[in-house]
Amino acid sequence: RQATLTVREGELAFEVNLSDYLDTGLFLDHRTTRRMVTEEAKGRRFLNLFCYTGSFSVAAATAGAAETVSVDLSNTYLDWTRHNLQLNRCDDHRRHRVYRSEARRFLEDWRGSPFELAVVDPPTFSRSAKSPEPWDVQADHATLLAELAERMTPGGVVYFSNNSRRFRLYDDLVGEHYAIREITRRTIPEDFRNQRIHRCWRLVRHGDGPQPADSMSVDA
């Protein structure tokens, strides 16, 4: 029925669809995480993997990111991302680019400048005719994050999140490339009764090449 409307989150505007999809197009549980991205994005090259409708890209773009790159397999979501960027007057296609690609393939193929800030918010599981292999966040996250590390600057920040109730971060593997801090409790908005709506980590790329895993820290 295309029951769409524009909603505001602080200075940001997003289109939501209340009739046609299981999700409305905006994950409300990540509004605090979007604010964190806004605070870090100015002047940085930003990557949004599994971008969905581009809300993190909008947050980075409006905060003055040097460029944003949004990646998803769905043409519907990429069109939605473009519309959300346009709603926020961030429609310079040279600075704010969208790519239709599977996330792992995109990282393998990327030959542009390394990124300084990234968001990775994948589904728990997905299978698509557009991709030769399914995505499983538990089985695939460490390999993806290692590949992403090769596309990040030293000291680059990755916000990694997912909503699998059974997820366990492979901190020994991820820690070879990043300093790890779980920030879940900081990122769940106070009005959410379900404190397990997602889990979130702030990963900081090590300086030069893989290093021994640090002990994982958790924010209060």
Side-chain angles (χ1 to χ4, degrees):
R1 291 184 295 139
Q2 285 292 309
T4 61
L5 70 156
T6 300
V7 298
R8 301 202 68 87
E9 181 179 282
E11 298 299 316
L12 309 180
F14 301 107
E15 181 180 82
V16 297
N17 185 314
L18 304 182
S19 61
D20 301 328
Y21 305 97
L22 180 63
D23 297 311
T24 65
L26 184 64
F27 294 136
L28 298 179
D29 59 301
H30 269 308
R31 65 180 187 269
T32 302
T33 324
R34 281 189 285 273
R35 187 169 66 245
M36 292 178 177
V37 168
T38 298
E39 292 168 353
E40 296 196 58
K42 187 174 183 179
R44 292 186 169 184
R45 293 184 296 274
F46 173 76
L47 172 65
N48 189 1
L49 289 178
F50 306 94
C51 73
Y52 187 43
T53 60
S55 63
F56 281 111
S57 300
V58 167
T62 56
E67 65 175 303
T68 67
V69 173
S70 306
V71 181
D72 205 283
L73 259 179
S74 167
N75 284 323
T76 297
Y77 290 155
L78 293 178
D79 286 342
W80 206 328
T81 295
R82 292 185 186 97
H83 181 65
N84 279 333
L85 286 165
Q86 193 171 32
L87 273 178
N88 292 272
R89 300 180 181 177
C90 299
D91 50 358
D92 181 344
H93 302 307
R94 294 168 297 180
R95 284 185 58 200
H96 306 298
R97 291 171 285 169
V98 298
Y99 290 89
R100 180 181 174 274
S101 178
E102 198 274 332
R104 292 164 290 189
R105 177 60 58 85
F106 172 83
L107 292 174
E108 291 173 5
D109 294 343
W110 179 252
R111 296 296 180 268
S113 299
F115 299 97
E116 297 155 301
L117 182 64
V119 168
V120 183
D121 185 28
T124 298
F125 181 86
S126 68
R127 185 188 301 276
S128 171
K130 303 170 187 174
S131 176
E133 53 191 17
W135 163 265
D136 182 309
V137 70
Q138 187 62 71
D140 298 327
H141 75 276
T143 302
L144 177 80
L145 291 171
E147 188 73 31
L148 174 58
E150 299 302 314
R151 305 290 179 261
M152 298 295 296
T153 58
V157 174
V158 177
Y159 285 99
F160 171 66
S161 177
N162 70 84
N163 57 10
S164 170
R165 294 290 182 90
R166 299 179 179 179
F167 180 78
R168 181 176 70 84
L169 186 76
Y170 293 151
D171 52 280
D172 54 339
L173 299 176
V174 176
E176 293 182 5
H177 304 278
Y178 304 91
I180 304 169
R181 180 177 293 275
E182 183 170 5
I183 58 171
T184 300
R185 283 182 284 181
R186 288 173 52 198
T187 62
I188 304 291
E190 63 182 355
D191 53 312
F192 271 74
R193 180 176 59 186
N194 179 5
Q195 295 294 301
R196 299 176 65 192
I197 189 71
H198 70 243
R199 290 181 69 190
C200 188
W201 290 262
R202 188 176 188 270
L203 311 175
V204 180
R205 177 72 166 95
H206 288 318
D208 294 306
Q211 299 183 15
D214 297 325
S215 58
M216 185 167 64
S217 56
V218 181
D219 280 1

